[in-house]
Every structure is written in structure tokens, then in C-alpha cells.
Amino acid sequence: MTLQLKPKQQSVIDIINTRPEIDEIILIGPTGTGKSALTAHVFISIAEAFPHSQLFVWRKNFNTARKTIWRTYKKMMSDMNMVEDKHYKLNEGSLLIEFPNKSLITFAQADSSTDKDQNKIKGLDITANQLEESNELIEDAADMIMSRKGRANQEGQPSINIHTMNPNNGWAKNRYYDKWKKGQLPSNVMVIEFTLEDSWQSDKDINSLIRSKPKWWVERYLRNNWNYLDEDHALIKGYLWERASIFRLPEPERNEVGNIIPKFTRTKFNKVIGVDVSDGGGDACVATLIEDDIVMEQRELKIPERTYGQSSEVDSRPIGYLFAQQLIAWAESKGFTKAYAHHISIECNGVGTSMRDNMKLLGWYIDEYVATGKSRNETALNARRALEDAEIQIFQKDAYRGNEDELWREISAHDTDMVDGVEKVTKKEKIKEILGRSPDYADSFFIAVRKHSTVHGKIKDPAHNLNRIGV
């Protein structure tokens, strides 16, 4: 069973087959060049050719793996003319692919927040590893994973670790990309860079990406310029976002007897929520939680009766009331009470006005934020300041991301420019053109950070339009 590969993709196969001294391969390059699909082809071929192979495919967590690389493998087996239950069996629940010769491809997570010391990895005997988007893993986890390969290779299987990655700032860039550029990689490690010429995407699709994405994204993710940090006029540059990102929650400080030392803050209740409400009810209503100076979660508030038609009767209650109920239930689950309702800031435009009024009717006296061109500009600029001053951090977890990196995608569409000596953020109408929809996750984030800044006294100048927010 064969698949037509492009020359660069075939070169990876040739290296694995003819250069056993290379046991770590790093695949980098533009989106759509088939890095993940190629590795899937390699692992499926090994599983078929060598009985009892134990091949592992790693991502940061199962949910992301299920939505991405799991689907890539299923499509690849179809492209290789393989038939389910004849050439392989799928275990959708456990994310396993079983072959008649007793080979297994196991999809596993390397989530340091749930397995800080990699205890679940230490005892594995593995033939070869695919570290998918390995730059998202912490370096210790990647090292532990790679140390387990070559322990189930009795049939002569290649002992190999294959990374696919986007070498943004961080350990992966320092360890692989920068050393590769300087010619300083160890002899057993090889970086293979794909270019747009190797892409399986059409010219039409590539040109569409170039038109719709910010320049920094095009430079990095299409043109392999991973040292591109200027990002022209980006509101929040990629390196700043990465610097603010954390992948495990900090351990609380303890005294000599083991008791937690309370963290000093200006407020006893160090939590805020920012809510972006659709002006007309058609866009998403998104709430962002910041707890102990960390952006912990984003939640899209949904109205089941209206969104999914689960009720056979028309619900006559105002949509603002239904959103208010959803928000209160979520806020209470995060420890909020009516006494701290003023730590919740809601955009009071359109449906937001109804939501505000219904929150008050239910006894929740929230902060009001009125979005105007001026206040939106200042709110976005304040979010950048908060990141620069390390006022907040971003907890990188799927539950917070909403969709795969949705928040960052929206934020990265925001540029700034100087107009009459004043820094102006890209207007919302232009952002909608770039994204094809409203930047609801970004707006909710901006509102939450602004509320956090006011609670902690970081912005006091009347120029910040605090009269618009009930502080």
C-alpha cells in the first residue's frame, strides 16, 4: 500500500531507512505541507511492516489529539487504501489503532499539569515516538518521552523520535531551530524544513491565507521566518504572548510547617470576569475568568432553548435574562457571590443592556462597561500594558482556549498605528473582515483584563474612561 509523496516528504522516508545514526528528526515548515500526515504515513508503515511495534503519538492532551492528529491518521489510512476491520481496528474511546500483526499505535497526552513528574511516561516501552506540536510540551516531558523509544524494537524497527513543530520562542526554538541555523545540532539530530513548494494545498488556498492573516503569521507560518519578531504594528506581539503563557499553575508558597502563605493583593477576592455580549444577539457571548492574576478560562454562554431548539415551545423570556442566568450559574461555580458581583464587568451595549438589567433584578450589581471606539481602543492598549508589566499570565489549557488557539487568533488580528500622535488599535469592522466574524473572545479578554487592572489600581487616570466602568 503506497502513497504518492513529494520529493521533500520522500527524503524523510529515505533518511529513516538509510541513516540509522539519525534518531531524532524535527519537521518544521508552513501549514499544509503535510508534516503530520507524513509522520502518520511513516508510523502506519512501520506498524504494518514490523510485528509487535509500540508506536506512540503524543500531544499535550487527548481533546486536542482527538480533534487533530487522530483524524490525520484515519485519513492517511484511507489514502493508503487501507480498510477498517481488515487492515486495522480503531478504538475511538482509548485512541488506539490495532493491527493484525499485534502492532499498536497509541495516542497519548503529555500534560504536565496533571502529571508533573511524568510518572505515566516513565514505565513505557516504546518503539518510536511522534511528538506532535512538540513546542507545546514542556522540555522535561519531551525528554522523558524521547528516552523511552528503542525499547520495543525486537523485530528491527527504526528507533526514532519525530517532532512536528512551529519553533516559536521557547525551548524548542533554542534547542533545535537556532542551533540548526548555526550548524550546532548534535550528529544524531536532523532538522528538515518544508517550504510552500512542498505544500499539498492549492495556490488558491495559500493566497487566501496570505490575504487573510497578519503579516507576522505569514512570515512565520508560511515563510519559515521564525526569527520574525517585529510583527510590524501588532497590538500584542507573539513573543509577548508566549512570555505571558504558563503551562502549569504555580504552587502556593508555604511556611516552615507547610501552611499556605496568603498572597498579598489589594483585594481579598482576587477574581474578575469580563463579558463581551453580542450587540444584536447573533454573535457569541463570551466570559473570561481571571483568578489570582492568571487568565484561567473562557466560556461561551449559550442559550439551549434558542441555540439548539431543545424546547418545543417558544421561550418568551428576554435573551438578556437567559444570558444572565447562564453567567450567574458559571460565576457561582467559580466562587463568586452577589457580594462580589462588582468584580464582573459586562459590556452594556445592545443585548448587554438587557443582561445588565436582569443581573440587577436577580441581585447581582455588576460593573458596567460601555464599548465606544475610544473605550475599546484604551481597553485593548491596557491589555498589552498588563502583559508587558507581567500583571497577568495566560494559563494555556484547552478549556480556556475555547477553540484551538481561538483567543490568540483573534488578538493577533489586532494591529496599531499612530493617528495624529495617538496610538489607535485596528477598528472592529476591519477585524471582522479579517476573521469573518466578531472577535468576541478577544473583546471578552480585554474587558476582563481592564477590570483586573482597575481592581488592582493599575489604571487610575481619567483618560482611561473609568467613568464608563462602575469602579
Side-chain angles (χ1 to χ4, degrees), residues 132-181:
E132 179 74 1
E133 303 293 353
S134 60
N135 53 291
E136 295 180 357
L137 308 180
I138 67 169
E139 188 172 13
D140 287 348
D143 282 333
M144 181 60 70
I145 288 167
M146 290 190 289
S147 73
R148 306 309 301 177
K149 63 94 174 163
R151 297 167 184 264
N153 300 63
Q154 293 84 353
E155 304 291 337
Q157 302 97 320
S159 175
I160 192 83
N161 290 310
I162 302 179
H163 303 250
T164 67
M165 68 166 65
N166 297 313
N168 290 300
N169 288 340
W171 72 268
K173 182 174 184 294
N174 296 334
R175 178 166 168 170
Y176 296 114
Y177 182 79
D178 291 345
K179 289 185 177 180
W180 171 60
K181 284 294 187 181

Side-chain angles (χ1 to χ4, degrees), residues 198-368:
D198 305 305
S199 178
W200 282 337
Q201 295 187 102
S202 67
D203 291 341
K204 179 180 177 181
D205 289 338
I206 292 172
N207 289 330
S208 177
L209 282 173
I210 292 174
R211 288 194 303 269
S212 64
K213 296 291 186 182
K215 184 175 180 180
W216 72 267
W217 193 97
V218 173
E219 286 295 321
R220 285 190 169 202
Y221 291 97
L222 289 183
R223 293 176 178 152
N224 288 339
N225 185 3
W226 298 104
N227 286 318
Y228 187 85
L229 294 178
D230 181 79
E231 300 174 16
D232 289 348
H233 301 284
L235 168 66
I236 297 173
K237 292 176 171 55
Y239 78 88
L240 179 59
W241 189 257
E242 291 175 16
R243 190 185 72 182
S245 297
I246 60 174
F247 299 91
R248 67 171 67 170
L249 295 177
E251 295 287 340
E253 291 188 45
R254 298 179 183 273
N255 58 24
E256 60 276 5
V257 296
N259 295 325
I260 294 176
I261 301 174
K263 185 177 180 180
F264 175 78
T265 62
R266 287 170 55 96
T267 175
K268 293 181 179 179
F269 188 73
N270 194 14
K271 300 179 185 181
V272 300
I273 290 175
V275 185
D276 175 69
V277 188
S278 165
D279 289 346
D283 298 329
C285 180
V286 179
T288 300
L289 170 68
I290 301 179
E291 180 176 349
D292 290 334
D293 311 324
I294 299 172
V295 180
M296 292 293 294
E297 187 173 346
Q298 287 195 304
R299 171 67 62 91
E300 184 174 341
L301 305 179
K302 296 181 180 292
I303 309 302
E305 297 93 333
R306 296 183 179 227
T307 304
Y308 301 115
Q310 294 178 358
S311 175
S312 59
E313 299 179 359
V314 176
D315 194 328
S316 61
R317 293 175 295 177
I319 191 170
Y321 174 79
L322 298 174
F323 275 140
Q325 280 193 319
Q326 290 282 311
L327 177 59
I328 290 172
W330 185 64
E332 287 180 333
S333 75
K334 302 302 177 182
F336 283 75
T337 64
K338 292 178 182 179
Y340 291 105
H342 61 287
H343 280 228
I344 301 174
S345 186
I346 296 178
E347 182 188 37
C348 295
N349 298 67
V351 173
T353 303
S354 172
M355 188 176 180
R356 172 203 64 194
D357 293 343
N358 281 284
M359 292 287 289
K360 289 182 177 180
L361 286 174
L362 294 167
W364 289 69
Y365 290 86
I366 52 87
D367 248 359
E368 299 179 30

